[in-house]
């Protein structure tokens, strides 16, 4: 029974844990702090769904006494007088970390702060559910941790790279409780801080970032000396080890299996200064050597290191005195193991401990430049490793290779100078005063262009073409495309003459041109080296540039005329600043706004090119093919005539003249284009007005029936004799429910009675006839489904003038009429039914015939075999 008694209590507690609401929590166990440190106790509420911020009250009880009000987040008069003063001084404060969490901070903890702290939250619930308070115990210990450097004041150590150093720090605790110490060595360089090596409270070593390899190799160690001393040992100092070293000691205690850091102290131990290694490399400043001789350079090294360091020497060559620029190349290298890496023509020797010689055999002009001596000092480390402790680069040794350069002069002449654009230009670059004994010299040329600018402008030269030492021609960006097109021609006429020709000089080609002749000297290894460049004086290519001027004036000799007469217009051309011009003429007509066929549209009629070839452009009147004439009266005058003018010819007429200049023989270049003043043709007529309409008695037809549409013309105004009227009638259809598609020409009938029908893709036929003077009938025979749509007619009236000539009136259009084509259901299914019945009858008869034949032949064969078996049985019975 003694064991079963607590079961109801356990069940009650379990039910309370499952059904509880709010729970206030503080850290479990006992918090231990040292006098003078800061105490922080967090408190939070779980499963809280109340206001946005939860209120908290803190109370304190020393060992064995009642709880006293300490602080509150919502009631200012909650604390007692003692704690009210500490709150005002800021020694005690509450810091909210969330809506349901708060922290109690007590700065400079005193022994009187030891006791129990209770965190509670006021209840606003209708029923009490959960735990509204929680308590934590705090122990306050006396400060028993002593941390100090090995010497005071902290010393300053001055070291060289590679030298060892040691730093010591003492730390001990006299706490009555069982505490552990943790120690960390820190390196401070200005605002930056690095962890060197740490010993945790559990006795484990942790190297800082960047010290892992040195720790594992034994280069950085942390040892204990005696009972209270800790030693940091560095076997070989690096430049990165410079700075101020601090010893950071923290005290830890274990409470209920959890470690707590109760305090931390730091002390500055020493300042380490790494003295840089003195290293200098010296070479001769200026060296002159004859071509083909040997170049001997010495690199002398000066250093203050006397320990075990090894030098690494590298000789490099550059065309510029700056060794850091691209283009520097290594000639020879002596590594720290005294192994030489060089080419067959270059040797590197070690004369003594501080002197290194570079030897270059059979020098040439290519060896002229700047030579550098790079020296690096390497110090040994742990596990046979090496690290670089110093590096130096000598000042450049300027080496000049002397040779007998060729002597010559360069002159540039312009044999052809352009006077206008498109004229040719020819320049000759000549080499003179050459020595006859220079057999090993080869001349090449480079052509340059420089734009004409004002004297105060900076102008750069553009490369046109360059000839290499093997006479390979390479083009610049400016001339590449034109050289490929044959417009730029670079040639070598003689051994001492180079030519440059521009077939067609443009305005962009105006400027200064000059040539650079390079002399190439043959070397002993049969290679060619550039030895000299000579510039010619520039030649200026320029001509006065003025804008091309082209003026065209049109006039009408007979300003008044009637329809049917001849219209004549002459165009006079004058030009300026155009070289040897020839003219092409184009006659255009701009229809008036009232013309429905092409409102505000410019129509090209006839043209005459610069070779006097006449061409009809958009003249579509087949009856008047010879009705327009364009001829050249003089070199600068042209005449246009139009015979038997019609009313539809009304509009504004102009001459469009283009001036052409000759280019390279038979080719022409467009120089300028101008438009003349307009000449108007206007007929003042009071003739009849024509209208057109479409009518159909059957707007809806059945497929296969006849479709009839009438185009009816009405005449308003003056009465006309039927013999004085004629019509061009055309029928169009738009096969859609709207007018969104292009119209299709069905058939047309001209004024002479000739019918033209368009080709159709379906079976229905079309006929067009004139049924009366003003009515035209369109019939669609055997209409199909595709024949539905909008139908309209276009009429062009022709009226006979008093002079007897026919005048073409403006084209008119009727409004469209929509025609639908329906399907005859009986006729649609008649033929499929007949075909189905016929096919089923044929298939039935064929199946009967096959059955009869198969049964007849198969049964006859089986009967014979049966009779044969019977006879055989009978014979056996007889036996």
């Amino acid at each position: 029974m003694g064991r079963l008694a607590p079961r109801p209590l356990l069940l009650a507690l379990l039910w309370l844990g499952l059904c509880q609401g709010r729970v206030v929590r503080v850290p479990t166990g006992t918090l231990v702090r040292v006098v003078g440190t800061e105490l922080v106790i967090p408190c939070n509420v779980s499963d809280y769904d109340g206001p946005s911020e939860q209120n908290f009250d803190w109370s304190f009880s020393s060992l064995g006494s009642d709880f006293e009000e300490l602080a509150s987040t919502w009631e200012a008069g909650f604390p007692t007088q003692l704690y009210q003063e500490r709150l005002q001084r800021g020694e005690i404060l509450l810091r909210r970390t969330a809506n349901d969490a708060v922290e109690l901070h007590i700065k400079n903890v005193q022994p009187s702060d030891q006791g129990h702290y209770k965190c509670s939250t006021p209840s606003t619930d209708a029923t009490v559910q959960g735990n509204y308070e929680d308590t934590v115990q705090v122990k306050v210990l006396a400060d028993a941790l002593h941390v100090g450097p090995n010497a005071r004041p902290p010393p300053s150590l001055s070291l060289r790279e590679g030298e060892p150093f040691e730093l010591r720090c003492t730390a001990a605790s006299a706490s009555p409780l069982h505490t552990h110490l943790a120690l960390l060595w820190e390196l401070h360089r200005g605002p930056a801080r690095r962890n060197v090596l740490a010993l945790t409270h559990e006795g484990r070593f942790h190297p800082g970032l960047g010290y892992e390899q040195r720790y594992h190799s034994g280069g950085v160690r942390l040892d204990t000396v005696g009972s209270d001393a800790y030693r940091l040992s560095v076997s070989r100092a690096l430049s990165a080890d410079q700075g101020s070293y601090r010893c950071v000691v923290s005290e830890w205690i274990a409470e209920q299996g959890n470690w707590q850091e109760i305090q931390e102290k730091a002390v500055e131990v020493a300042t380490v200064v790494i003295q840089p290694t003195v290293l200098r490399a010296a070479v001769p400043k200026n060296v002159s050597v004859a071509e083909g001789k040997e170049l001997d350079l010495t690199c002398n090294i000066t250093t203050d290191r006397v320990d075990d360091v090894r030098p690494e020497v590298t000789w490099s060559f550059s065309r510029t005195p700056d060794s850091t620029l691209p283009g520097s190349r290594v000639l020879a290298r002596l590594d720290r193991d005294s192994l030489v890496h060089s080419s067959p023509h270059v040797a590197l020797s070690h004369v003594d401990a501080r002197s290194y010689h570079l030897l270059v055999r059979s020098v040439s002009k290519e060896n002229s430049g700047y030579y550098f001596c790079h020296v690096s000092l390497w110090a040994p480390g742990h596990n046979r490793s090496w690290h670089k402790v110093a590096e130096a680069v000598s000042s450049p040794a300027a080496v000049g290779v002397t040779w007998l350069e060729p002597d010559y002069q360069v002159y540039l002449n312009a044999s052809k100078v352009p006077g206008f654009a498109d004229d040719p230009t020819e320049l000759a670059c000549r080499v003179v005063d050459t020595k006859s004994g220079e057999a090993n010299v080869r001349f090449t040329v480079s052509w340059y262009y420089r734009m004409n600018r004002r004297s105060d402008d900076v102008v750069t030269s553009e490369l046109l073409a360059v000839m290499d030492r093997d006479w390979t021609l390479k083009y610049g960006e400016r001339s590449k495309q034109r050289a490929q097109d044959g417009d730029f021609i670079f040639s070598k006429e003689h051994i001492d003459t180079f030519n440059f020709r521009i077939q067609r000089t443009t305005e962009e080609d105006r400027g200064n041109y000059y040539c650079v002749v390079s002399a190439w000297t043959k070397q002993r290894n049969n290679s060619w080296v550039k030895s000299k460049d000579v510039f010619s004086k520039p030649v200026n290519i320029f001509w006065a540039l003025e804008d091309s001027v082209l003026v065209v004036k049109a006039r009408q000799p007979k300003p008044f005329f009637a329809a049917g007469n001849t219209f004549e217009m002459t165009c006079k051309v004058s030009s300026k600043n155009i070289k040897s011009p020839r003219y092409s003429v184009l006659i255009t007509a701009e229809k008036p706004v009232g013309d429905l066929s092409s409102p505000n549209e410019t129509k090209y009629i006839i043209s005459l090119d610069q070779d006097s070839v006449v061409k009809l452009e958009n003249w579509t009147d087949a009856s008047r093919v010879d009705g327009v004439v364009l001829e050249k009266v003089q070199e600068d005058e042209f005449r246009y005539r139009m015979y038997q003018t019609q009313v539809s010819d009304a509009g504004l007429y102009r001459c469009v003249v283009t001036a052409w200049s000759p280019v390279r023989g038979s080719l022409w270049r467009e120089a300028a284009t101008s438009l003349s003043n307009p000449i108007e043709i206007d007929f003042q007529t009071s003739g009849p007005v024509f209208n057109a309409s479409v009518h159909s008695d059957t707007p809806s037809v059945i497929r296969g029936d006849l479709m009839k549409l009438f185009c009816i013309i009405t005449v308003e105004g003056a009465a006309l004799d039927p013999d004085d009227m004629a019509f061009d009638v055309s029928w169009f259809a738009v096969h859609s429910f709207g007018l969104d598609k292009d119209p299709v020409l069905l058939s047309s009938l001209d004024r002479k009675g000739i019918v033209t029908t368009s080709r159709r893709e379906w079976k229905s036929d079309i006929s067009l006839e004139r049924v009366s003077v003003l009515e035209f009938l369109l019939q669609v025979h055997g209409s199909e489904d595709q024949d539905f749509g909008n139908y309209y007619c276009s009429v062009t009236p022709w009226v006979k003038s008093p002079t007897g000539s026919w005048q073409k009136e403006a084209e008119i259009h009727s409004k469209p009429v929509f025609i639908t084509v329906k399907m005859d259901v009986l006729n649609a299914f008649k033929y499929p039914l007949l075909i189905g019945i016929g096919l089923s009858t044929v298939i039935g008869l064929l199946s009967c015939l096959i059955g009869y034949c198969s049964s007849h032949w198969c049964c006859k064969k089986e009967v014979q075999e049966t009779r044969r078996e019977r006879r055989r049985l009978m014979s056996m019975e007889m036996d």
Side-chain angles (χ1 to χ4, degrees):
M1 294 296 293
R3 294 182 177 178
L4 296 177
R7 182 172 297 178
L9 179 59
L10 294 175
L11 293 176
L13 292 175
L14 178 62
W15 178 85
L16 180 61
L18 294 175
C19 301
Q20 67 180 353
R22 239 186 296 186
V23 178
V24 177
R25 291 190 177 91
V26 294
T28 59
T30 301
L31 301 180
V32 181
R33 291 295 182 269
V34 177
V35 174
T37 61
E38 183 179 5
L39 172 65
V40 179
I41 307 176
C43 178
N44 67 295
V45 180
S46 62
D47 300 330
Y48 171 67
D49 56 356
S52 60
E53 289 188 354
Q54 176 63 42
N55 296 318
F56 294 88
D57 294 334
W58 285 89
S59 302
F60 169 72
S61 171
S62 61
L63 297 179
S65 63
D66 296 335
F67 281 95
E68 299 179 3
E69 291 79 2
L70 179 64
S72 176
T73 59
W74 65 291
E75 186 177 352
F78 179 79
T80 61
Q81 182 63 30
L82 174 63
Y83 298 110
Q84 190 74 254
E85 296 176 357
R86 296 184 67 180
L87 285 169
Q88 293 176 358
R89 291 195 301 266
E91 296 179 2
I92 300 176
L93 59 89
L94 294 180
R95 180 175 298 166
R96 185 179 294 278
T97 58
N99 289 337
D100 56 355
V102 72
E103 289 180 349
L104 173 64
H105 289 252
I106 301 179
K107 300 180 180 180
N108 193 15
V109 175
Q110 300 300 321
S112 60
D113 295 325
Q114 178 173 295
H116 292 84
Y117 290 82
K118 181 173 64 178
C119 176
S120 60
T121 175
S123 174
T124 57
D125 301 336
T127 60
V128 176
Q129 292 185 358
N131 178 22
Y132 290 84
E133 61 183 23
D134 197 6
T135 305
V136 63
Q137 182 180 358
V138 176
K139 290 183 179 181
V140 180
L141 303 178
D143 185 5
L145 177 62
H146 301 280
V147 180
N150 194 32
R152 288 187 180 275
S156 178
L157 302 180
S158 180
L159 306 170
R160 295 189 181 276
E161 268 191 88
E163 294 182 353
F165 68 92
E166 292 182 356
L167 301 176
R168 293 192 182 189
C169 173
T170 60
S173 176
S175 174
L177 301 180
H178 182 66
T179 61
H180 288 205
L181 297 182
L183 185 137
L184 168 65
W185 284 96
E186 288 183 345
L187 172 61
H188 291 251
R189 298 184 66 175
R193 182 181 64 181
R194 295 178 62 189
N195 293 340
V196 180
L197 188 56
L199 175 63
T200 67
H201 58 278
E202 296 177 334
R204 298 174 182 173
F205 290 97
H206 289 292
L209 183 64
Y211 290 88
E212 297 89 345
Q213 184 177 359
R214 298 175 67 183
Y215 169 74
H216 293 299
S217 64
V220 177
R221 302 191 314 274
L222 178 58
D223 304 318
T224 58
V225 181
S227 61
D228 60 349
Y230 298 87
R231 179 177 59 198
L232 175 67
S233 301
V234 178
S235 61
R236 292 184 179 274
L238 303 179
S239 59
D241 294 332
Q242 178 172 300
S244 177
Y245 285 81
R246 296 183 66 197
C247 177
V248 182
V249 180
S250 58
E251 190 173 8
W252 295 74
I253 189 171
E255 284 288 338
Q256 298 182 0
N258 296 324
W259 287 95
Q260 297 182 34
E261 182 182 353
I262 59 177
Q263 68 171 326
E264 180 180 286
K265 291 184 178 181
V267 63
E268 185 175 349
V269 178
T271 300
V272 177
V273 178
I274 306 298
Q275 297 293 339
T277 299
V278 177
L279 179 62
R280 298 185 185 89
V283 296
K285 290 186 177 180
N286 297 299
V287 178
S288 179
V289 61
E291 186 177 7
K293 302 297 181 179
E294 291 183 349
L295 173 63
D296 190 358
L297 297 176
T298 302
C299 180
N300 295 318
I301 300 175
T302 303
T303 180
D304 59 349
R305 296 295 293 263
V306 294
D307 53 348
D308 185 16
V309 292
R310 294 185 182 181
E312 183 180 78
V313 180
T314 303
W315 281 94
S316 63
F317 171 78
S318 177
R319 294 291 183 185
T320 61
D322 189 355
S323 62
T324 61
L325 296 178
S328 177
R329 58 187 176 93
V330 176
L331 299 177
R333 183 172 66 89
L334 177 71
D335 60 19
R336 60 175 178 263
D337 296 326
S338 298
L339 296 178
V340 178
H341 307 272
S342 62
S343 62
H345 301 286
V346 179
L348 178 58
S349 59
H350 186 190
V351 179
D352 54 35
R354 294 293 182 260
S355 182
Y356 299 87
H357 283 255
L358 174 70
L359 183 66
V360 181
R361 303 180 181 91
S362 186
V363 296
S364 62
K365 185 187 176 184
E366 294 180 348
N367 299 122
S368 296
Y370 299 90
Y371 291 76
F372 300 88
C373 179
H374 302 253
V375 181
S376 301
L377 290 183
W378 294 81
H382 284 277
N383 297 333
R384 298 180 180 179
S385 63
W386 293 84
H387 62 276
K388 188 184 298 184
V389 296
E391 188 175 9
V393 181
S394 69
S395 57
V399 176
V401 179
T402 60
W403 72 97
L404 185 61
E405 66 177 16
D407 186 16
Y408 59 95
Q409 299 294 326
V410 177
Y411 293 96
L412 180 63
N413 296 321
S415 56
K416 289 186 179 180
V417 178
F420 289 92
D422 298 329
D423 284 353
T425 302
E426 189 167 343
L427 303 175
C429 183
R430 189 181 302 274
V431 183
V432 298
D433 297 338
T434 58
K435 300 293 181 62
S436 59
E438 297 176 350
N440 294 329
V441 177
R442 177 182 293 177
F443 295 104
T444 60
V445 70
S446 301
W447 291 94
Y448 290 89
Y449 164 80
R450 187 167 55 230
M451 186 182 299
N452 286 328
R453 293 287 179 89
R454 297 192 305 268
S455 59
D456 56 347
D457 289 344
V458 178
V459 182
T460 58
S461 299
E462 298 183 58
L463 177 66
L464 299 178
V466 58
M467 184 178 292
D468 208 347
R469 57 180 176 270
D470 56 354
W471 293 319
T472 302
L473 193 62
K474 297 179 181 179
Y475 301 111
E477 292 297 327
R478 180 181 178 85
S479 61
K480 184 176 181 180
Q481 186 60 44
R482 296 183 67 181
Q484 294 176 355
D485 297 339
D487 198 15
F488 281 9
I489 300 176
F490 302 92
S491 60
K492 183 179 181 181
E493 298 294 335
H494 303 285
I495 192 173
D496 59 351
T497 304
F498 303 92
N499 290 73
F500 170 43
R501 179 181 175 87
I502 304 178
Q503 297 287 85
R504 175 187 170 189
T505 309
T506 62
E507 297 173 3
E508 292 78 10
D509 295 330
R510 298 185 305 169
N512 292 315
Y513 292 82
Y514 63 94
C515 63
V516 180
V517 176
S518 303
W520 297 78
T521 305
K522 190 174 184 181
Q523 304 298 303
R524 293 183 179 180
N525 57 358
N526 293 327
S527 63
W528 293 88
V529 177
K530 185 187 293 186
S531 57
K532 190 176 182 180
D533 287 333
V534 177
F535 290 70
S536 72
K537 292 183 178 180
V539 172
N540 188 16
I541 302 300
F542 179 81
W543 66 90
L545 182 62
E546 297 182 5
D547 295 335
S548 300
V549 178
L550 184 64
V551 179
V552 183
K553 294 184 178 180
R555 64 183 185 88
Q556 184 180 4
K558 298 178 180 179
F560 303 102
F561 62 96
N565 293 345
T566 300
F567 168 72
E568 181 176 329
M569 178 179 67
T570 60
C571 296
K572 185 74 173 179
V573 184
S574 60
S575 63
K576 187 179 180 181
N577 300 326
I578 300 178
K579 176 188 174 183
S580 304
R582 283 193 183 180
Y583 306 107
S584 61
V585 182
L586 172 65
I587 304 299
T588 64
E590 183 179 343
K591 295 298 181 178
V593 178
D595 190 353
L596 298 179
S597 62
S598 56
N600 293 334
E601 180 183 1
T602 300
K603 183 178 181 181
Y604 297 164
I605 300 178
I606 191 172
S607 64
L608 179 73
D609 64 9
Q610 65 269 22
D611 295 325
S612 300
V613 178
V614 179
K615 177 184 177 183
L616 285 176
E617 298 292 338
N618 296 329
W619 182 260
T620 57
D621 194 346
S623 62
R624 292 192 297 161
V625 175
D626 300 330
V628 290
V629 176
L630 178 60
E631 56 185 350
K632 183 177 182 180
V633 181
Q634 297 178 5
E635 286 295 330
D636 58 352
E637 186 175 357
F638 302 87
R639 181 169 55 206
Y640 168 68
R641 289 179 179 176
M642 181 168 55
Y643 302 99
Q644 296 181 357
T645 55
Q646 307 290 335
V647 176
S648 59
D649 295 330
L652 299 176
Y653 288 77
R654 290 184 174 90
C655 293
V656 181
V657 178
T658 302
W660 301 82
S661 294
V663 179
R664 289 183 290 182
S666 60
L667 299 180
W668 296 88
R669 181 182 66 88
E670 182 179 345
T673 300
S674 180
L675 187 67
S676 71
N677 55 299
I679 300 297
E680 184 179 8
I681 297 180
D682 186 16
F683 298 98
Q684 301 296 330
T685 60
S686 59
V689 178
F690 296 91
N691 295 308
S693 61
V694 174
H695 173 72
S696 176
D697 296 332
T698 57
S700 178
V701 298
I702 299 176
R703 188 173 63 184
D705 290 352
L706 179 65
M707 183 190 306
K708 292 185 178 182
L709 296 100
F710 292 90
C711 181
I712 303 173
I713 303 173
T714 58
V715 183
E716 299 178 0
L720 294 176
D721 191 340
D723 294 336
D724 295 337
M725 293 185 300
F727 304 95
D728 291 338
V729 180
S730 299
W731 279 92
F732 296 89
V734 180
H735 298 294
S736 65
F737 291 97
L739 297 176
D740 52 345
K741 293 185 178 180
D742 295 333
V744 178
L745 176 64
L746 303 176
S747 183
S748 62
L749 186 147
D750 62 7
R751 60 192 177 96
K752 297 180 181 180
I754 300 176
V755 178
T756 303
T757 303
S758 301
R759 186 175 180 179
R760 300 170 61 79
E761 297 180 357
W762 49 89
K763 296 182 179 180
S764 59
D765 294 330
I766 290 179
S767 63
L768 176 59
E769 59 181 324
R770 181 174 182 177
V771 296
S772 67
V773 176
L774 299 177
E775 291 186 5
F776 296 84
L777 172 63
L778 175 70
Q779 300 183 84
V780 181
H781 306 273
S783 58
E784 298 288 339
D785 294 337
Q786 297 89 337
D787 292 321
F788 87 100
N790 294 276
Y791 289 78
Y792 68 92
C793 63
S794 173
V795 179
T796 302
W798 292 79
V799 179
K800 183 182 291 186
S801 64
T803 60
S805 62
W806 287 93
Q807 300 295 322
K808 183 179 180 181
E809 300 292 332
E811 184 180 5
I812 57 176
H813 298 269
S814 68
K815 293 183 179 180
V817 172
F818 187 77
I819 304 297
T820 58
V821 179
K822 299 181 180 179
M823 182 180 65
D824 190 353
V825 179
L826 180 61
N827 291 332
F829 288 97
K830 177 172 66 176
Y831 291 105
L833 287 175
L834 293 177
I835 293 173
I837 294 172
L839 288 176
S840 61
T841 304
V842 172
I843 292 173
L845 294 175
L846 183 60
S847 61
C848 293
L849 178 61
I850 294 173
Y852 171 77
C853 294
S854 60
S855 62
H856 176 73
W857 292 104
C858 293
C859 293
K860 182 177 181 180
K861 185 175 182 180
E862 291 176 358
V863 171
Q864 291 177 355
E865 291 178 355
T866 304
R867 291 178 180 178
R868 188 178 301 148
E869 294 295 332
R870 288 181 178 179
R871 286 197 300 267
R872 185 176 299 173
L873 291 174
M874 291 174 62
S875 61
M876 291 174 64
E877 291 176 356
M878 292 176 63
D879 292 341

